């Protein structure tokens, strides 16, 4: 396999950053293809912890080309801040490429994100308030600003004027402050100047890499259950984190995707509102939250906790063609006597193993569990599958048996080295 997608199988925060960083050690290119700084990807190596938001997880290796592809929505101020803070922490040489076709998250998008959430009140989505959905809305409304526009002064003026005709009306109708063309124009032209050296046609670049047989990792943000089409709509993000969206969002042909690695926690978490069939709110949930440090990387919100839901996992496997799994945070389950694994739901008196399309119906689904014996041993230093306690081995084998997908790797700690490979991804 040369071109591999790393995709979250749940509601985000599955450890995509960690697994991308691990696999990136053998890759030539790492590509973020959707989302924006709603993502928070944690990487730990050499005793240092980094939380990346917009920048791909290959940035620490100067041989790797890091791409922010056309499917992303980029807040360029946040990007400059992220780069500056990495440089302060020692990042010296790196390769970064930003698609000229990626959408720009403008300040009014952030205002509108907040306003929607406030107006939705009880029905709010619980967004990260980073302006992600309003930026994607403008893309579809054809009034979006793109990264390439910022380096073309005359064209940018025209695009910004057009956008502000509509945006200022919208802001005023929400009782929000309107934006003057001059202040935004000068500020964003300046930002464009700073980022100019990175902005290019990344589709041309990626196709050249493909022609050179480069190893390419596509790093998903969020997770399949937050997909606009296949997730728990409306409690989703505004893009598609699934592997199917990679070709469009990176400007390559679908025939070049060789494999999809699904990243899945050994349990489930969710930040924000929306259905969560296997959610638990007891002492075990708190134990998992503390041991797994389950607090949002971006918003610091405590993450909701639940048992591993294999209906969710099978759904993600189906919509994305996941052919290998990486199970993360297995160490967090240590010390739990009985571990539950959801294999189907009870819905209206029937057993189902799919996800209903409406939230109304999904909220009526009750999980059916099998209970497996847990383990007491600390597994954070193990180096191979056979070192795991029998109970942990059984847990992983059960996941494979029910999903019918191989576990190619699993993870027993946040550090890059705490990763056990059962099957090589890049051949
Ligand atoms: P992402 O958004 O999918 O990249 O995931 P996040 O970085 O938001 O959240 C995953 C969290 O789990 C981070 O704090 C990681 O450092 C941590 N992590 C990843 N893998 C493991 C693991 O196997 N064990 C433990 N204990 N922590 C892990
Ligand atoms: P990573 O890449 C977890 C959630 C938000 C909210 C919903 C919509 O770190 O896994 P948005 O701001 O995107 O409009 O919010 O999606 N969400 C995430 N949850 N991890 C993420 O990213 C997320 N990005 C968005 O909490 O419920
Ligand atoms: Mg995250």
């Amino acid at each position: 396999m040369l071109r591999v997608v790393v995709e979250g199988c749940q509601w985000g925060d599955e450890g995509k950053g960690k697994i991308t960083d691990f696999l990136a050690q053998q890759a030539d290119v790492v590509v973020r293809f959707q989302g924006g700084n709603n993502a928070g990807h944690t990487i730990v190596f050499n005793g240092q912890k980094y939380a990346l938001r917009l920048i791909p997880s290959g940035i620490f290796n100067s041989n790797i080309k890091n791409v922010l592809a056309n499917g992303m929505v980029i807040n360029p101020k946040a990007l400059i801040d992220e780069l500056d803070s990495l440089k302060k922490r020692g990042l010296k040489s790196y390769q970064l490429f930003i698609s000229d076709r990626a959408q720009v998250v403008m300040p009014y998008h952030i205002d509108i994100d907040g306003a929607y959430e406030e107006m939705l009140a009880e029905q709010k989505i619980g967004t990260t308030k980073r302006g992600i959905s309003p930026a994607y809305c403008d893309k579809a409304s054809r009034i979006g600003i793109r990264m390439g526009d910022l380096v073309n002064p005359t064209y940018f003026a025209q695009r910004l004027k057009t956008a502000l005709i509509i945006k200022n009306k919208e802001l005023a109708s929400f009782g929000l402050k309107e934006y003057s063309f001059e202040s935004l124009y000068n500020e964003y032209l300046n930002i464009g100047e700073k980022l100019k050296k990175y902005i290019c046609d990344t589709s041309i670049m990626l196709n050249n890499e493909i022609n050179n047989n480069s190893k390419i990792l596509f790093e998903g943000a969020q997770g399949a259950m937050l997909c606009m089409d296949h997730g728990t709509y409306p409690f989703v993000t505004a893009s598609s984190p699934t592997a199917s969206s990679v070709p469009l969002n990176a400007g390559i042909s679908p025939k070049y995707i060789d494999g999809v690695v699904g990243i899945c926690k050994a349990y489930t978490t969710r930040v924000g509102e929306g259905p969560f069939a296997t959610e638990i709110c007891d002492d075990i949930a708190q134990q998992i939250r503390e041991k797994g440090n389950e607090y949002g990387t971006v918003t610091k919100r405590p993450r909701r906790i639940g048992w591993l839901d294999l209906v969710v996992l099978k759904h993600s496997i189906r919509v994305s063609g996941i052919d290998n799994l990486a199970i993360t945070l297995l160490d967090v389950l240590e010390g739990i006597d009985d571990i539950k694994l959801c294999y189907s739901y009870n819905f209206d008196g029937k057993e189902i193993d799919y996800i209903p399309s409406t939230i109304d119906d999904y909220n009526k689904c009750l999980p059916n569990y099998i209970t497996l014996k847990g383990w007491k041993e600390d597994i954070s230093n193990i180096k191979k599958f056979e070192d795991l306690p029998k109970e942990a081995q059984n847990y992983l084998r059960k996941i494979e048996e029910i999903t019918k997908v191989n576990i190619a790797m699993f993870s027993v700690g946040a550090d890059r080295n705490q990763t056990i490979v059962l099957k090589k991804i890049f051949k």
Side-chain angles (χ1 to χ4, degrees):
M1 294 209 282
L2 287 173
R3 278 107 20 193
V4 174
V5 183
V6 170
E7 173 183 330
C9 294
Q10 297 159 313
W11 282 279
D13 303 326
E14 299 90 347
K16 297 174 293 293
K18 170 179 168 159
I19 299 297
T20 306
D21 166 69
F22 180 83
L23 293 173
Q25 304 315 309
Q26 304 143 51
D28 304 299
V29 186
V30 179
V31 185
R32 273 282 309 269
F33 57 93
Q34 43 73 232
N37 62 336
N38 47 349
H41 295 179
T42 316
I43 295 176
V44 182
F45 63 95
N46 295 342
Q48 296 290 313
K49 180 172 172 174
Y50 303 90
L52 299 175
R53 297 192 168 163
L54 285 159
I55 296 180
S57 295
I59 197 73
F60 301 104
N61 184 333
S62 60
N63 297 321
I64 295 178
K65 297 186 171 100
N66 291 276
V67 179
L68 279 70
N70 57 282
M72 287 189 75
V73 289
I74 300 173
N75 176 335
K77 286 204 237 178
L79 178 60
I80 291 170
D81 286 351
E82 191 174 332
L83 259 182
D84 285 348
S85 82
L86 290 177
K87 284 180 193 164
K88 276 199 195 109
R89 294 187 62 188
L91 180 72
K92 283 197 183 73
S93 97
Y94 58 89
Q95 300 185 61
L96 193 63
F97 302 81
I98 302 170
S99 168
D100 47 12
R101 288 160 170 83
Q103 297 283 320
V104 179
V105 176
M106 298 293 284
Y108 45 77
H109 292 135
I110 298 169
D111 300 341
I112 292 169
D113 197 350
Y116 263 55
E117 286 287 272
E118 209 171 295
M119 286 187 284
L120 286 171
E122 292 291 287
Q123 306 301 320
K124 73 175 193 295
I125 306 300
T127 75
T128 58
K129 298 198 180 156
R130 296 299 189 275
I132 305 300
S133 164
Y136 277 117
C137 285
D138 280 4
K139 174 180 184 176
S141 303
R142 291 148 298 184
I143 54 165
I145 311 277
R146 310 205 291 185
M147 290 303 291
D149 303 352
L150 301 183
V151 294
N152 288 287
T154 316
Y155 186 65
F156 176 44
Q158 191 189 318
R159 294 296 300 158
L160 183 60
K161 275 183 191 149
T162 307
L164 284 180
I165 295 171
I166 295 179
K167 291 288 107 175
N168 276 337
K169 282 217 171 66
E170 194 179 349
L171 290 163
S173 76
F174 293 163
L176 295 171
K177 186 174 74 62
E178 295 178 38
Y179 284 85
S180 86
F181 167 80
E182 283 72 24
S183 66
L184 279 185
Y185 181 69
N186 292 325
E187 186 182 5
Y188 279 79
L189 214 50
N190 234 329
I191 289 173
E193 199 50 45
K194 280 193 188 147
L195 294 175
K196 194 173 184 169
K197 57 177 177 285
Y198 306 118
I199 298 174
C200 60
D201 185 326
T202 54
S203 164
I204 294 179
M205 177 228 163
L206 285 173
N207 280 280
N208 285 338
E209 293 293 332
I210 289 169
N211 289 337
N212 291 337
N213 286 329
S214 298
K215 292 184 181 129
I216 308 180
L217 265 182
F218 295 92
E219 177 181 10
Q222 292 81 52
M225 295 308 289
L226 289 171
C227 170
M228 223 179 9
D229 282 80
H230 300 292
T232 45
Y233 190 87
F235 297 99
V236 293
T237 190
S239 65
S240 175
T242 64
S244 342
S245 87
V246 170
L248 177 70
N249 285 331
I252 63 162
S253 161
K255 68 184 177 202
Y256 293 132
I257 302 297
D258 298 326
V260 188
V261 183
I263 317 299
C264 179
K265 274 184 175 160
Y267 46 95
T268 310
T269 61
R270 170 161 212 173
V271 210
E273 311 304 317
F276 185 173
T278 62
E279 184 168 18
I280 48 171
C281 302
D282 53 11
D283 290 349
I284 295 179
Q286 194 50 28
Q287 179 181 332
I288 291 176
R289 186 174 295 113
E290 293 313 317
K291 190 158 168 52
N293 188 25
E294 294 294 0
Y295 293 89
T297 316
V298 177
T299 56
K300 313 291 176 221
R301 289 176 286 180
R303 293 175 183 150
R304 298 160 64 192
I305 310 283
W307 298 113
L308 181 53
D309 186 337
L310 297 180
V311 181
V312 161
L313 185 52
K314 284 196 289 184
H315 176 85
S316 303
I317 288 168
R318 173 169 46 79
V319 298
S320 303
I322 288 165
D323 33 31
N324 283 292
L325 289 171
I327 304 294
T328 56
L329 296 111
L330 188 62
D331 54 304
V332 174
L333 294 182
E334 167 209 320
I336 297 174
D337 293 334
D338 296 309
I339 302 176
K340 291 186 178 178
L341 202 48
C342 166
Y343 61 91
S344 69
Y345 300 145
N346 255 341
F347 171 59
D348 264 354
K350 284 196 304 278
E351 185 179 2
I352 62 166
D353 71 345
Y354 62 86
I355 294 171
S357 76
T358 70
I359 299 305
D360 252 9
D361 284 349
Y362 200 9
N363 279 333
K364 290 183 198 141
C365 289
L366 298 172
N368 292 318
Y369 290 115
I370 45 170
T371 303
L372 301 180
K373 221 167 143 336
W375 59 93
K376 300 249 181 293
E377 298 88 334
D378 174 3
I379 60 169
S380 58
N381 291 314
I382 69 137
K383 298 288 173 224
K384 49 184 201 295
F385 181 81
E386 293 70 27
D387 295 342
L388 282 175
K390 281 280 163 300
E391 294 83 359
Q393 294 190 13
N394 285 344
Y395 188 63
L396 294 182
R397 290 293 176 232
K398 201 54 153 179
I399 296 171
E400 285 186 322
E401 186 190 312
I402 298 178
T403 61
K404 300 186 175 63
V405 177
N406 284 328
I407 295 174
M409 53 211 289
F410 63 96
S411 161
V412 292
D415 194 90
R416 187 187 281 168
N417 294 326
Q418 290 170 298
T419 316
I420 290 93
V421 177
L422 303 176
K423 184 179 158 196
K424 274 213 162 85
I425 297 296
F426 284 121
K427 293 275 157 53

